[in-house]
Amino acid sequence: MLFDDDWYTDSMSISRNVPYKVGNVDKKKREEVYKDIPCRIYSAKRNGPSWKEAAATATATDKVACDVSVDLKAGDMLMIVRGGRLGSNREPERYFAGLPQPYYDPVGGVLSGLEHQEVVLLMDEVIK
């Protein structure tokens, strides 16, 4: 089984913009909606740091896989801990989610363990 529970070695928290009102004004704020979701980052494509006028930045485009039941939306902010399900205490990496692509089990059930969803991630960080 490729995507069984043991394959998800990382963990992620999902934050998204949620609407709220202040008087008659509609606003949005980023709020954590899910925590400690099993996942796995793969297909890492990291660029080296680049220098700009005010600061250095690092960019990367990766993919993450997780269960199809996870409520992911394009634009969600994901804080992913590499090895988080293996006891790693690394700092979380911040990503933004693209459009989720579900892959359902080819035999009509969950017997093969292939059912999952993938999301292309964007990392764009200012280096401190």
Side-chain angles (χ1 to χ4, degrees):
M1 287 193 204
L2 180 61
F3 290 101
D4 66 3
D5 199 43
D6 292 337
W7 194 75
Y8 297 124
T9 57
D10 305 328
S11 63
M12 70 177 165
S13 296
I14 302 171
S15 297
R16 74 175 46 122
N17 289 330
V18 294
Y20 72 100
K21 279 189 173 261
V22 175
N24 292 328
V25 179
D26 292 330
K27 293 188 168 201
K28 290 188 177 187
K29 63 181 173 181
R30 193 169 298 275
E31 192 173 279
E32 186 175 77
V33 291
Y34 300 102
K35 189 174 185 156
D36 297 326
I37 304 293
C39 66
R40 183 173 185 140
I41 290 184
Y42 63 97
S43 186
K45 294 177 184 153
R46 298 197 175 244
N47 300 324
S50 63
W51 294 98
K52 297 190 179 180
E53 259 184 61
T57 62
T59 59
T61 304
D62 300 320
K63 290 183 180 180
V64 68
C66 63
D67 191 81
V68 291
S69 66
V70 176
D71 179 28
L72 271 173
K73 297 185 186 315
D76 283 350
M77 183 177 78
L78 310 177
M79 298 298 285
I80 301 176
V81 177
R82 302 269 182 125
R85 297 197 64 225
L86 303 175
S88 171
N89 60 356
R90 295 179 62 172
E91 289 290 319
E93 298 176 3
R94 183 178 73 155
Y95 293 91
F96 292 94
L99 187 64
Q101 177 63 55
Y103 293 94
Y104 296 102
D105 195 292
V107 294
V110 294
L111 297 176
S112 71
L114 295 174
E115 189 169 79
H116 69 287
Q117 66 179 322
E118 295 178 3
V119 178
V120 175
L121 302 173
L122 169 68
M123 174 194 268
D124 191 6
E125 288 289 335
V126 173
I127 299 172
K128 296 178 182 175

